[in-house]
Amino acid sequence: VARSVGHRAARRGNARASRASTLYYRIQRKRVNTPSRPVMMSRGLRTSLIGQTLATRTFSALRRVSTAPSAAASMPGRIPLFINNQEVDSKSVHDMPVLCPASQRILGHVPIATAEEMEAAVDAARAAFPAWSATSVSNRARVMLKLQALIREHTQELAELLSSEHGKTVDDAKGDIFRGLEVVEHACSVPSLQMGETMQNVATGVDCHSYRVPLGVCAGIAPFNFPAMIPLWMFPMAVVTGNTFVLKPSERVPLTAMYLAELTRRAGLPDGVLNIIHGTHDAVNFICDSPHIK
């Protein structure tokens, strides 16, 4: 039967049908009373079984190619907010699943932060600004030195987490992290970067002095495609220059940003200097419209 089906397909010039028929009889052969006699099936059932077999093989191949760990580190059922250096459980009744693209396994649920929770994040940043902006530039740089060391130490775990929630390979994830790490290293040179300028006798009896001073509460809205690199392009330079920060990572890849927030806490960043909220367009609009965000 396999030979006759293949011949008919070849005569019609349909090589694809021929390959599919041959694959079916290699994989799905069934036997009845006579061991050498295959079961006769309708064309519709045969096509359905071929499709199921190909789908199973395709998924298995994708799973083998993916470098995401087969069992990512266990995460809480609901991903917290990060406000005032603390993980805060959201009171929102709405959330979204965070999926592993390789397996479609749910890694956690990200809450859609309420208006009150977003205001709390900004209030924490405002409260932290006076003391943090008055901290000496050398002490702010030391926090960045500790942060870059921690990122290097935990690159493997961070890359595996990023790969699990985003879908890029672990090697690509390491590149994502490294491009962000370069900015953290750059932030360590803030004592020279934040220097002002002086010019004597700009006019008769007039000297000119310029200073680079912090603005206040800053914010960043990070996209999906680079879960580590783009947040690391944002908050390290903002906070090392004396500002405080509210970050909204993509709701599809929030776990990497939360891991980075934990590393900033270990590095010694004070309470309220970095805050993370989760959400979709409402969170974006809040950040764009808030009068307290510079």
Side-chain angles (χ1 to χ4, degrees):
V1 175
R3 192 159 45 249
S4 65
V5 172
H7 289 169
R8 286 200 301 273
R11 285 197 298 271
R12 291 196 305 268
N14 191 343
R16 183 178 181 182
S18 177
R19 289 194 300 270
S21 299
T22 303
L23 176 63
Y24 165 71
Y25 279 101
R26 285 179 182 173
I27 298 173
Q28 296 292 341
R29 169 167 284 183
K30 304 291 183 182
R31 299 189 180 276
V32 289
N33 297 332
T34 304
S36 61
R37 181 181 178 184
V39 175
M40 303 301 293
M41 296 185 181
S42 68
R43 180 171 301 195
L45 178 58
R46 191 165 63 234
T47 303
S48 175
L49 288 172
I50 292 171
Q52 292 175 15
T53 301
L54 291 175
T56 302
R57 284 193 162 194
T58 300
F59 180 81
S60 299
L62 289 174
R63 180 62 249 178
R64 288 195 300 272
V65 170
S66 172
T67 57
S70 57
S74 60
M75 297 297 296
R78 209 162 195 234
I79 299 161
L81 310 171
F82 191 80
I83 299 175
N84 210 27
N85 240 7
Q86 300 294 325
E87 295 178 350
V88 177
D89 292 331
S90 175
K91 294 182 174 60
S92 173
V93 296
H94 303 290
D95 55 34
M96 298 177 63
V98 179
L99 300 175
C100 171
S103 64
Q104 295 300 299
R105 183 168 53 86
I106 296 178
L107 303 176
H109 290 84
V110 60
I112 307 301
T114 66
E116 293 76 13
E117 289 164 345
M118 292 187 283
E119 288 287 358
V122 173
D123 290 344
R126 291 177 64 196
F129 175 71
W132 179 242
S133 60
T135 301
S136 68
V137 66
S138 58
N139 283 330
R140 297 200 301 262
R142 288 188 184 98
V143 174
M144 292 298 109
L145 284 167
K146 293 177 183 177
L147 178 60
Q148 64 87 24
L150 286 168
I151 292 174
R152 287 185 181 278
E153 179 184 349
H154 296 280
T155 293
Q156 183 65 33
E157 305 98 285
L158 193 56
E160 290 178 358
L161 180 62
L162 193 157
S163 175
S164 293
E165 68 172 350
H166 182 277
K168 61 178 68 178
T169 65
V170 171
D171 284 342
D172 278 346
K174 288 180 180 178
D176 186 327
I177 296 162
F178 181 73
R179 294 299 176 223
L181 178 61
E182 290 179 319
V183 177
V184 182
E185 292 172 336
H186 183 62
C188 296
S189 60
V190 68
S192 58
L193 294 174
Q194 205 170 356
M195 290 179 66
E197 298 174 341
T198 300
M199 173 66 71
Q200 290 182 323
N201 292 321
V202 175
T204 303
V206 177
D207 298 337
C208 178
H209 302 272
S210 66
Y211 302 92
R212 292 186 171 95
V213 297
L215 295 173
V217 180
C218 301
I221 302 165
F224 161 80
N225 53 340
F226 292 98
M229 182 181 76
I230 295 181
L232 288 174
W233 281 1
M234 293 178 173
F235 73 81
M237 289 304 300
V239 302
V240 79
T241 50
N243 301 286
T244 54
F245 204 84
V246 177
L247 175 68
K248 193 209 87 67
S250 169
E251 65 278 6
R252 295 170 62 187
V253 288
L255 299 175
T256 301
M258 292 299 294
Y259 197 111
L260 291 173
E262 172 59 26
L263 295 183
T264 64
R265 180 163 58 185
R266 296 186 203 175
L269 201 65
D271 296 353
V273 175
L274 175 64
N275 305 273
I276 295 179
I277 60 174
H278 302 301
T280 54
H281 57 279
D282 286 338
V284 172
N285 291 335
F286 170 82
I287 288 175
C288 294
D289 297 339
S290 175
H292 303 299
I293 296 176
K294 305 299 183 181

